[in-house]
Amino acid sequence: MEILPLNREEIIGLLNTPAEDCQQLYERADRVRQQYTGDAVFLRGIIEFSNSCAKNCLYCGIRADNSALPRYTMEEDEILATARGIRQSKATTAVLQSGESSAFGDERFGALLRRIKEETGLAITVSAGERPRDVYAYWKECGMDRYLLRFESSDPDRYRKLHPDSSLEDRLQALQHLRDLGIQRGSGFLIGIPGEDVALLADNILLCRALDLDMIGIGPFLAHPDTPLKGEKNSWSEAPEMFFKAVSVLRLVNPLAHIPATTVFDSIFPGEGRNLVLQRGANVFMPNFTPVNYREKYLLYPDKPCVDETAGQCAACVLVRMEALGREIGKGPGHALPRV
Ligand code: SAH
Ligand code: SF4
């Protein structure tokens, strides 16, 4: 087994790996991924069930103030039918994602979770922003197994500037509630928010370790034209290898976490971004099952891939990718890995 853990200085050193040595770093991360999580890639099917959002995160394409965007919230039966589609695929988890809004109603959503659990038996992950502790507790009772809530940036001042409606403290409190309730937790951050340097990137990776996360999703920031950050460049746009180095170092520092190859990598490196991430530390893939008529309305960032593809096409594409990578598909729910 590789010798872990790494300290801050070592992490910064690894993130500064020169281009000619990156391959070695990627191979090391791939070995650690293989040793700790195995060769199986777990598939989690995403349903983007509503783009309604009351928040105004500066970077996000579906923020409340984007009045040009038509809003939608899927009906229960349609969400359930989509979840049945996931059940029929090789994915074993349904990830229900939306903006942070009361459009659906917390109780109604709980009832829907119960139906999905009873009718499909899928593992259920929810990603719907900060909610009161009681709501998380109720959703758990209804069948929710996991929750995704990124901390986005570990620097409180930067967090405040990016999120006019919340603080890093509130976000970490929400993550603590989830932990206390025994809900498996995913968090993570945006890579390359304008002004980010290597030290902040290292601190973001270290915060993931400090939070002892079950799942960690990270992805490059991409400026959306209908947001206050339009035209802003990713801090690493001139050195995009950093996106992959970040994933590899994340794996070395968090060997037991489930790490998805996030969709945004395919926006930047069409057709191959997520495959490369799976060879550089990641072990999870999240095919999109959102019905095709809603996809154009759930553009958190520009150039999102697969907007014209049906759920069936996404499910088929993932099989081709896994085959090409020589990776098997995870069986069973793919819950959090026990700590050693
Ligand atoms: N409303 C929920 C879930 C949807 S947003 C929440 O905020 O947690 C899911 C993720 O999309 C966010 O955590 C953010 O990191 C990412 N995201 C939003 N806008 C983005 C952008 N412009 N570039 C890259 N990722 C973005
Ligand atoms: Fe809403 Fe999430 Fe986008 Fe923030 S990141 S504006 S909470 S959908």
Side-chain angles (χ1 to χ4, degrees):
M1 292 258 173
E2 302 265 342
I3 311 237
L4 304 161
L6 299 159
N7 65 31
R8 186 170 188 265
E9 216 170 292
E10 290 165 327
I11 291 171
I12 292 175
L14 285 170
L15 290 170
N16 281 326
T17 301
E20 62 273 21
D21 297 333
C22 280
Q23 199 51 39
Q24 269 169 280
L25 171 65
Y26 300 152
E27 283 168 18
R28 184 176 170 198
D30 199 43
R31 270 198 313 275
V32 170
R33 184 273 306 154
Q34 209 273 336
Q35 283 168 356
Y36 285 83
T37 71
D39 262 334
V41 174
F42 283 97
L43 304 183
R44 333 272 210 205
I46 312 187
I47 311 173
E48 295 152 337
F49 68 92
S50 171
N51 70 352
S52 165
C53 189
K55 288 218 166 167
N56 266 308
C57 307
L58 257 56
Y59 43 80
C60 180
I62 68 169
R63 61 201 300 275
D65 284 358
N66 182 5
S67 52
L69 182 69
R71 303 288 168 166
Y72 72 88
T73 299
M74 289 168 64
E75 293 294 330
E76 277 100 328
D77 286 346
E78 195 176 19
I79 299 173
L80 196 65
T82 311
R84 282 196 204 102
I86 295 176
R87 170 82 269 182
Q88 281 154 20
S89 77
K90 300 230 182 259
T92 49
T93 295
V95 180
L96 295 157
Q97 194 182 74
S98 71
E100 188 175 320
S101 112
S102 51
F104 205 93
D106 295 340
E107 291 210 13
R108 186 175 154 220
F109 190 64
L112 172 68
L113 293 176
R114 259 190 229 287
R115 285 181 68 193
I116 294 176
K117 192 57 131 191
E118 275 164 19
E119 292 190 32
T120 69
L122 290 164
I124 300 178
T125 301
V126 178
S127 171
E130 285 171 36
R131 305 289 170 134
R133 187 184 193 280
D134 291 353
V135 172
Y136 291 146
Y138 171 60
W139 288 351
K140 182 186 183 204
E141 211 182 286
C142 295
M144 176 177 86
D145 302 285
R146 316 184 190 124
Y147 205 87
L148 304 181
L149 186 67
R150 290 185 181 176
F151 60 77
E152 317 289 2
S153 172
S154 61
D155 172 35
D157 294 334
R158 198 172 300 261
Y159 188 97
R160 174 56 90 184
K161 284 190 195 118
L162 292 168
H163 306 98
D165 344 75
S166 83
S167 67
L168 183 60
E169 204 186 342
D170 289 345
R171 182 122 311 199
L172 296 179
Q173 181 61 255
L175 285 166
Q176 185 60 43
H177 288 324
L178 291 163
R179 184 186 190 110
D180 296 343
L181 291 163
I183 296 163
Q184 296 168 47
R185 297 171 316 146
S187 189
F189 55 87
L190 286 161
I191 312 168
I193 280 288
E196 176 179 284
D197 58 12
V198 180
L200 177 54
L201 187 47
D203 286 339
N204 288 342
I205 292 172
L206 280 164
L207 181 55
C208 292
R209 179 163 75 194
L211 292 170
D212 190 22
L213 299 168
D214 303 303
M215 302 159 289
I216 310 173
I218 66 173
F221 153 75
L222 272 185
H224 189 293
D226 301 325
T227 66
L229 297 187
K230 73 168 176 224
E232 294 271 355
K233 282 201 159 165
N234 186 295
S235 320
W236 311 109
S237 58
E238 305 301 320
E241 281 291 335
M242 187 59 95
F243 304 144
F244 296 105
K245 289 196 270 183
V247 174
S248 288
V249 178
L250 184 75
R251 168 57 71 198
L252 298 181
V253 177
N254 299 274
L256 284 165
H258 286 304
I259 297 181
T262 54
T263 312
V264 67
F265 274 92
D266 268 31
S267 310
I268 304 173
F269 308 96
E272 62 166 4
R274 283 181 285 181
N275 288 30
L276 291 171
V277 176
L278 284 170
Q279 293 173 305
R280 297 171 176 184
N283 72 318
V284 170
F285 192 98
M286 300 167 81
N288 196 336
F289 278 77
T290 308
V292 72
N293 50 316
Y294 300 117
R295 292 193 187 196
E296 283 283 2
K297 303 191 185 88
Y298 200 86
L299 298 184
L300 307 170
Y301 45 82
D303 305 321
K304 201 168 162 207
C306 323
V307 283
D308 298 324
E309 288 181 21
T310 62
Q313 285 168 319
C314 285
C317 161
V318 75
L319 302 184
V320 173
R321 283 173 183 254
M322 295 312 124
E323 179 86 35
L325 292 171
R327 299 272 280 277
E328 60 201 72
I329 291 170
K331 298 202 171 63
H335 284 316
L337 293 170
R339 300 300 184 263
V340 273

